[in-house]
């Protein structure tokens, strides 16, 4: 449609002229957004003993729970201070919600569906922006088997960017 072509043109222009885009109205309603944050809070506020019963992320499945300090994006540094729960396409993968709060069990699949629908719409817009058939990218991602929806929790920490080691000149070393 003309509206789709107009959006595709805006995406093309933003990527060429600015290098990034900020998308709004992506199909995640305010109610679903709020429910998703509340469900994630319910999940991550479980007692550690209950979290111990959650399905663990493995390289084979890339679904389930990763506890605090288990993952590290930089193997040369200490583990990342976060916990995560990965959800993948329920038509391709098995998401094990054992021991998860009911709010999370009910909300995570709904958020996945909204994000999946949006990704298909965005893929069509990108194809149009590149002058390709609208289904070019959508056809390549039919199964959504390489996609992951990741719920993350970073605990609050005491961090003051003005603190740190300084020499007598008042200069702070850059890392």
């Amino acid at each position: 449609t003309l509206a789709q072509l107009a959006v595709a043109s805006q995406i093309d222009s933003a990527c060429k002229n600015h290098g990034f885009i900020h998308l709004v109205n992506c199909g995640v309603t305010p109610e679903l957004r709020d429910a998703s944050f509340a469900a994630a809070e319910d999940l991550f506020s479980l007692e550690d003993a209950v979290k111990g019963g959650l399905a663990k992320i493995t390289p084979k499945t890339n679904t389930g729970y990763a506890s605090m300090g288990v993952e590290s994006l930089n193997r040369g540094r200490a583990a990342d201070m976060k916990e995560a729960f990965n959800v993948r396409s329920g038509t391709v993968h098995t998401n094990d919600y054992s021991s998860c709060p009911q709010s999370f069990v009910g909300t995570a699949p709904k958020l996945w569906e909204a994000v999946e629908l949006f990704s298909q719409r965005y893929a069509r817009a990108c194809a149009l922006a590149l002058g390709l058939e609208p289904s070019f990218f959508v056809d390549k991602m039919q199964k959504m088997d390489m996609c992951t929806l990741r719920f993350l929790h970073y605990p609050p920490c005491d961090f003051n960017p003005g603190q740190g080691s300084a020499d007598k000149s008042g200069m702070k070393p850059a890392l």
Side-chain angles (χ1 to χ4, degrees):
T1 68
L2 289 176
Q4 288 173 317
L5 290 172
V7 169
S9 176
Q10 291 172 338
I11 290 171
D12 183 56
S13 175
C15 289
K16 286 179 179 174
N17 297 317
H18 304 288
F20 69 94
I21 57 176
H22 175 99
L23 301 169
V24 295
N25 300 326
C26 299
V28 176
T29 64
E31 295 81 16
L32 180 55
R33 180 199 59 220
D34 294 347
S36 298
F37 275 105
E41 185 174 350
D42 291 346
L43 174 76
F44 294 123
S45 66
L46 291 171
E47 296 293 325
D48 288 339
V50 177
K51 288 179 186 177
L54 297 172
K56 304 294 184 273
I57 290 178
T58 67
K60 183 178 180 181
T61 65
N62 196 30
T63 61
Y65 178 72
S67 59
M68 187 72 65
V70 169
E71 299 180 326
S72 180
L73 294 177
N74 183 338
R75 300 211 191 290
R77 294 186 179 170
D80 300 332
M81 294 310 299
K82 70 173 185 305
E83 56 186 333
F85 196 98
N86 288 2
V87 175
R88 298 185 73 192
S89 170
T91 60
V92 179
H93 302 281
T94 300
N95 292 297
D96 185 348
Y97 295 112
S98 300
S99 299
C100 289
Q102 276 307 116
S103 60
F104 191 81
V105 173
T107 303
K110 291 177 185 174
L111 183 59
W112 172 269
E113 290 172 15
V115 171
E116 181 177 9
L117 180 60
F118 166 72
S119 69
Q120 292 168 353
R121 292 173 52 213
Y122 182 69
R124 283 187 189 90
C126 289
L128 288 170
L130 295 169
L132 302 169
E133 288 295 318
S135 64
F136 181 83
F137 293 116
V138 174
D139 290 346
K140 312 296 186 273
M141 52 188 247
Q142 282 297 314
K143 293 191 299 185
M144 298 291 288
D145 59 336
M146 298 297 291
C147 303
T148 302
L149 176 62
R150 185 154 234 231
F151 292 84
L152 294 171
H153 173 241
Y154 291 86
C157 63
D158 295 326
F159 175 72
N160 183 344
Q163 292 178 340
S165 62
D167 64 19
K168 291 182 182 172
S169 68
M171 300 294 289
K172 294 182 172 64
L175 300 177

